[in-house]
Structures are given as structure tokens and as C-alpha cells.
Amino acid sequence: MTVTLKDEIICLEGWCGAEEAERLLILLQAAPGRGVDLARADQLHTALVQIIIAFRPPLTGKCGDPFLRDWVLPSLLPGNRNASEMLTSCDNSGDEYGDDCSDRR
Amino acid sequence: MEGLRDQFLVEGRELVENAAADLLALAGEPDRIDSAFRAVHTLKGATGLFDLKPMGALLHAAEDLLGALRDGTLSADGTLVDLLLKGIDQAARWLDCFEAADTLPADAPAVAQRLGAALRRKLPAAPPVLPQSEAAPDQPWILRLLAGLDPGAAETALTGTGLRAIRYLPTRQCFFDGDDPVALFRAIPELRAVSIAGREPWGPLESFDPFGCNLVLDGLSAAPAVEIRAALSSVLDQVQIVAVERQPMGHEPGGDAAGAKIDGSDAASRTFRVESDRIETLAGIADQVVIASNALAHLAAEARRGLSGEALVRGVLTSHAELERLSGQLHRAVMRVRLVPLAALFRSFPRLVREIGAQLGKKLDLSLQGEAIEIDKSLVDGLFEPILHLLRNAVDHGIEDSSQRLAAGKPPRGVITLGAKRLLETVAIDIADDGRGIDVETVRRTAVARGLLSAATAAALPEERALELLFAPGFSTASAVTDLSGRGVGLDAVRTAVARLGGHVMLSSRFGQGTSIRLSLPAAIVLTGIVTVECGGERYGVAMDDLVETLRLPADRVVPIRAGRAFTLRDRVVPIFNLAELLGVTASAPNGDLKLLVFGQGEAVSAVAVDGFGDRQSLLLRPRNGLLSGLRGIAGTALLGTGQILMVLDLAELVA
């Protein structure tokens, strides 16, 4: 299972294929406003990226995939439109919340 | 990317030839439409990997028409097939251009448009012509991406080779097709900016469809368009690539590839295919070389342990014999790898001759013989232009109009034969036509009119010597300069190109009955006699065939002439050049006699002074290539027995 819910945070782990999209969608639709933690995510299939873009959930955890972290996620942070600023806030949030999810192990 | 490009060129040519052969055979074998369709379809797909949009558009039109023929919604007739052949011939020319210049000629979009439209007019219900999605670089999405770059990065990126903006609009059902657009997009090299966003408004999130893709992926990349295309090759129909700033413009637009260039020297490094069993043979020999070298190591160990002198000598001799046998095998095997059947060279000529015939309104057939004969790969490359020129001559000057032929009691269609025969160590390539032949009297008159010789000398020449005049530089018997043959290159250029390959040209003709030209070529690369000379402390090679003689000249026989020097050799004044000066190296101080290499023919005999003569050897002369290809005055390189590389000089070019 690469999409799990822990303490109202949806954790994406490892390689998330298209088949995980439905589960992510259900978890987000069930409680809009749930955060998504990408600290352990390696690569997300487009179907999951699309859900994150459409739902814009609060993102926590420094994303393990540099492409998503640097190019895709910054534009999704609330109120942030400037790429470089967004990158910083993404990193900060990673420091704050990243451990939450990793404790699980 | 180089490998991909080479492979594309090899396979592209094969596909073009296959499609043309299928189309030509269509009248007798209607089933070959399938194969023609597949060839064109595959080639069209492959063009997407490179910046060959016009070629893709043209092939697309041809593919549609072939599809209609295959599905039976259209029936093939002569004009239709001609039109398709025209399209395929154009694709072949563009492949040549692409190989030579990495780009299509500037008129390619217009040509593609014109030919494509002509093809589409033949379609039963013409589908709308696809819009050429050539986006301008000032579209909002591109400006947005550029605005996102930080100023420093933007400047750096734009002052380099420029950026390419990429817009990828995946289809809605692309997840079901197995596409992962983000994964494809991340593979684009040298990304400078990325934006992934919803394409249409998302609508109510409760009814969000996780399996429909509704994204637009935009990006800026500093990589060349061709690399971007390679990354997105599976979805190119959904991708738009726009150059944001100036593209690297290092290339001249490709000219007329089948045009006047008739220089056998451009040893284009084309890839070629080798039968696998020939490679296996090489691998087998390589194994045996390892064994032989182990035997030598064993012998060395024995010697160290105090093997008797007698036994050691025997062992060394055995080892040497074995290595000699293997190196001989290796040489033959490598030669065999380099041998390619003439079919590879001949196969594009039927198409070209057809084209030339159509342009000149001549009715003729080309018959090929001896295509299975194998010659060295380097010869294949160098022979294309000379043979094409001779075929062009045969069509233009040899074959008469149908009416003239009928009047002369010949069949209305002319026949040109392109054949090859193996004669001992040479391969003879014959180009023969059954046309009007050459009128020796006209040749004599023209030569006199061109001032090549006096009327009396011309009249005294025996017939075969008079025909030789055709090879004189500047000679052309064509009274009307046509687009095809009147390019200012004559048989002299053919002779030069063939001579460069180590061959020679012979011509025979019977007035009223036809002309035959034979190119005699070495069947394999032969060893060249090379004399080494010293100059400025370095050794260089000179091909013995180039030399008239080598001689030591007493210093008092040198006559200063203006800035230069000369001497008299058999009542002829021969200029002396200094090799060190020609090569730009420091000469050692001259002492006593001059050591001269005398070379050249007729009035153009010259001498080059060197520091010393070395020995004579038979070596395999390799044509200049790679870094050397741009160097003037270097004929090639040869590997010496010591493992050193010897530069072999082209003296005529050096003093020219």
C-alpha cells in the first residue's frame, strides 16, 4: 500500500502508480482539507499529480522526488505564485512535518 | 543522438528504396501496396524524432493515399504511382540533405505543401489538410514560462543556444494507453521551467474523474529540439515545440544534394550493416589471437626457467608462424567486413534515372547487372556521384527521342545498362546505352573550337585518341546546356573522382549505336607503395604513384626565379618548393645537394625539397577522415610496422 492515512495526513510512499489514484481521490473527497505528505514519495504517476493539482491539499513533507519538488509542487502552495518563494516554503514545511510521517516506521 | 541519427539515415534509405520498389512493381503485384504502405508509415513515424516536419507532412499525405489504395477506396493508375514516387523521391533527397547539413533545405515546407496537396487531391474525399502548428514564440503560455525564470537564468539561457518551449497536451484517455505524461515530461533534458496545470476547469470535485487526463504540461528546455523530440517520441502528436530565441544556425541550408558535386573524396561516414557471420568470424580470430599470445607468454616463462637456445628459437618460430597466419586471417576477415554488395550502390539509380528521363522527356529503361558483386565500402561511397553523372550523360546525350529512335530503326524505348563484373583483382562497372553514340568528328571540331589543340593535330588523331579528348578539362559536346548535364562538370571530373579511388575510366562508342563507359576499380583496398621522407625532424609519407622520381640535385644547378627557385630537368623548368615551408615547420639547415621529390604530369611538374629520404614500404593507405578531413595536403594516414602513424602527403594539393 503506497497511499495510507495516518492522523488525517495522507502519506504517499515510494512509487505510486496510476492504480493508487482512486484511493487518493477517495481519501481527499472524504475529508477535504486533509494534508498530503510526500516525504517518502519517489515518483507519482500523472494521475496522482493531477489529483493533487486539482484538490490543492495542504502539502507536508519535503517531497522525495526533485522533479515534483522543484517544478510542480511550488505552484500548488496556497497564496504562492512565485516559484522561488514557493520552493522555500515547501522546504520549510518539510522540516516541520516531515517527521510525523516517518515516525510510523 | 548520433547513433539514433545514423540509424535513422540507414533505415530511412532502406524504407525509401523499399517503398519505391514496391510502387514500381505494383502493376504486376498489387499486393505490394501493403508493404509500400508500411514502409512509408514507418518512415513518417521516424521523421518525428528529428526536426523534419515538412518531410513528415509529405509522407503523411503519401501514407493517406497509400492507405486509400490499400483499402480499395482508390485504384492505382500510372499518374497516381508517379505522383507517389515523386513524393518518395523527394523524401530520399531530404534524407541526403539531412545527412549532409542536419537540416532540410529552406524550400522544404513549400515543396512539402505543394507535393502533399497534389497527393491529397487524389484522395477520394480529401480530409482537411492538417494545420501546420507552427506556433509563434509570443504565445501567452510561453511568456508566462519565461516570466517565471529568474532574470539571471533567463539571460543565461537565452544568450546560449536559446530555449525551446514545449507544450504537451496529453489526450484524455492517455492513462489507459499506458502513458504517464509527467514521467515523459521529466525526461526532457535541460529543463529550465515547468508548469503543470489543469487544461479545462476541474468542475465539482465530488465527481472528479481520476482516470481522465485533463492536464497541460508546459516547459522550457535548453536542449536541442531533436533531443526534446527523442524524449517525447511516443507522444509527438500531442506535443508542440517552439523555439523561443534564436536556434543554433551552424548549418548552411542543404543544397541540391544530387547536384553538381562530383567529388569522390567526401568519404561520408555512413553507417553500414554487416552480416553477422562476418562478425562471428572476426570474433573467432580474436579468440585465437588470445590463445597465440598466451602461448608466447608460456614460452617467455619457459625461457626464464632456462630453456635451451635451440628450443627457444623453435618456440618463437612456431609462435611467429601462428601469429602470422592469424594476422593474415584477420586482414582478410576485416576486408570481408568492409565489402558490400554493389546492390547497395545501384539500388537508388533506377529511381534517379527515371526522374532524369521524366525531366528530359526520354523514354528508357535501366537494366542492372551484377549487383551481387562486392566491393569495398569506401568505393561505394565514392562511386555514387561519378556513376550518377555518367547515367545522366547517357540519358541526356545518349538516348534519342522516341521518334529519332524509330527513324533509326531502334525500339522506341532506350536501354541503359549498369552492370558490374569481377575481373581478377578489379571490378569493372560498365555504363552502356543504346543511344546515338559519339560522333568523333564532332569531338574533334569541338576540341579545336575550345582551343584544346590545333585542327591539324585533331585531324591526325586516331579515333580512340580523339574520344579521349572528351576527358579533357573544360570539354563539353553538349550544344544546349541543359539543367541536368550542363553543370560545368564533365568527364574529366568523373575521371578525377574515379582515379581518387584507385581506378580508371575507359570510353568506347560506335556512332549511331551507343556508348559504353567502363570504370575499373580495385576490388579491395590495395597496399600502396609509400616512400618516407624527413622534414623538420618528422617523417612523412608520399605515395610512390604520385612521384615521377626522387633525385639529389647539386646546389649549383638551382636557379633563382623571382622569389622562388627552379631547376632544369630534361629541358623543362621545374619549380622547387620547400616542404618545410609548405608544412609550416622548421627545416634543418641545407647542406650540399638538394633532395627533391619530383611529381606531377605534363606542364605541371614540380619538385619539393625535403631534408632526407627514408625507406620504401607497402602500406595500407587510409583516407583522411575525422580531424584530418579538413587538412589540406594530407592524402591520408598509414600505420607503420612500429605502430606509429605516418601522415601521407598529397603533394599536388600542398603546392596548389
Side-chain angles (χ1 to χ4, degrees), chain B residues 478-492:
Chain B
S479 47
V481 171
T482 63
D483 173 41
L484 286 167
S485 306
R487 292 179 189 273
V489 287
L491 287 174
D492 61 317

Side-chain angles (χ1 to χ4, degrees), chain A residues 21-22 25 29 43-47 49-51 53-55 65 67-68 71-72, chain B residues 175 179-182 186 192-194 196 202 205-206 208 210-215:
Chain A
E22 203 163 15
L25 177 68
Q29 279 173 334
Q43 228 183 44
L44 306 187
H45 187 275
T46 309
V49 175
Q50 173 170 261
I51 291 172
I53 290 173
F55 282 74
D65 172 10
F67 180 81
L68 290 179
W71 295 121
V72 182
Chain B
F175 298 159
D179 286 350
D180 184 351
V182 171
R186 73 196 307 152
R192 295 288 184 269
V194 173
I196 302 181
W202 295 108
L205 292 179
E206 307 84 67
F208 187 87
F211 304 115
C213 184
N214 177 34
L215 290 175

Side-chain angles (χ1 to χ4, degrees), chain B residues 30-52:
Chain B
D31 286 353
R32 289 182 69 169
I33 189 72
D34 279 339
S35 159
F37 176 84
R38 274 198 307 277
V40 170
H41 173 79
T42 312
L43 182 58
K44 184 203 74 176
T47 56
L49 293 172
F50 304 94
D51 195 6
L52 297 168

Side-chain angles (χ1 to χ4, degrees), chain B residues 31-290:
Chain B
D31 286 353
R32 289 182 69 169
I33 189 72
D34 279 339
S35 159
F37 176 84
R38 274 198 307 277
V40 170
H41 173 79
T42 312
L43 182 58
K44 184 203 74 176
T47 56
L49 293 172
F50 304 94
D51 195 6
L52 297 168
K53 209 178 267 171
M55 186 164 156
L58 173 60
L59 289 167
H60 193 136
E63 183 192 5
D64 286 349
L65 199 55
L66 286 165
L69 287 171
R70 188 189 53 171
D71 302 340
T73 53
L74 198 65
S75 57
D77 60 41
T79 55
L80 198 62
V81 170
D82 280 350
L83 202 55
L84 282 165
L85 282 170
K86 220 175 189 177
I88 287 161
D89 291 352
Q90 183 61 55
R93 279 195 294 275
W94 281 341
L95 282 176
D96 293 341
C97 276
F98 179 62
E99 176 170 37
D102 253 334
T103 179
L104 294 182
D107 68 345
V111 173
Q113 178 74 29
R114 185 166 48 75
L115 273 174
L119 285 167
R120 287 184 191 284
R121 272 198 294 277
K122 296 280 180 188
L123 280 172
V129 176
L130 285 175
Q132 288 279 323
S133 56
E134 197 58 71
D138 55 356
Q139 294 188 27
W141 64 272
I142 299 177
L143 297 177
R144 254 198 316 277
L145 283 170
L146 285 170
L149 288 173
D150 76 75
E155 196 167 319
T156 321
L158 288 174
T159 48
T161 55
L163 287 176
R164 269 141 300 276
I166 306 129
R167 167 156 273 197
Y168 172 19
L169 295 167
T171 59
R172 190 151 188 92
Q173 79 286 354
C174 71
F175 298 159
F176 293 103
D177 298 340
D179 286 350
D180 184 351
V182 171
L184 286 169
F185 210 75
R186 73 196 307 152
I188 297 172
E190 304 206 43
L191 278 170
R192 295 288 184 269
V194 173
S195 152
I196 302 181
R199 191 165 166 182
E200 308 289 336
W202 295 108
L205 292 179
E206 307 84 67
S207 55
F208 187 87
D209 172 14
F211 304 115
C213 184
N214 177 34
L215 290 175
V216 45
L217 296 87
D218 294 334
L220 288 173
S221 162
V226 58
E227 287 180 21
I228 300 172
R229 280 194 177 80
L232 299 173
S233 60
S234 60
V235 293
L236 277 177
D237 53 330
Q238 302 153 35
V239 172
Q240 209 182 6
I241 299 173
V242 183
V244 177
E245 255 300 346
R246 59 185 182 279
Q247 296 250 29
M249 294 294 282
H251 304 295
E252 293 293 312
D256 182 0
K261 185 183 57 153
I262 182 160
D263 184 349
S265 71
D266 59 335
S269 56
R270 285 185 189 167
T271 339
F272 67 105
R273 294 179 172 198
V274 175
E275 283 171 36
S276 56
D277 67 327
R278 298 188 181 186
I279 297 290
E280 311 251 314
T281 310
L282 276 175
I285 299 172
D287 289 347
Q288 294 184 50
V289 169
V290 172

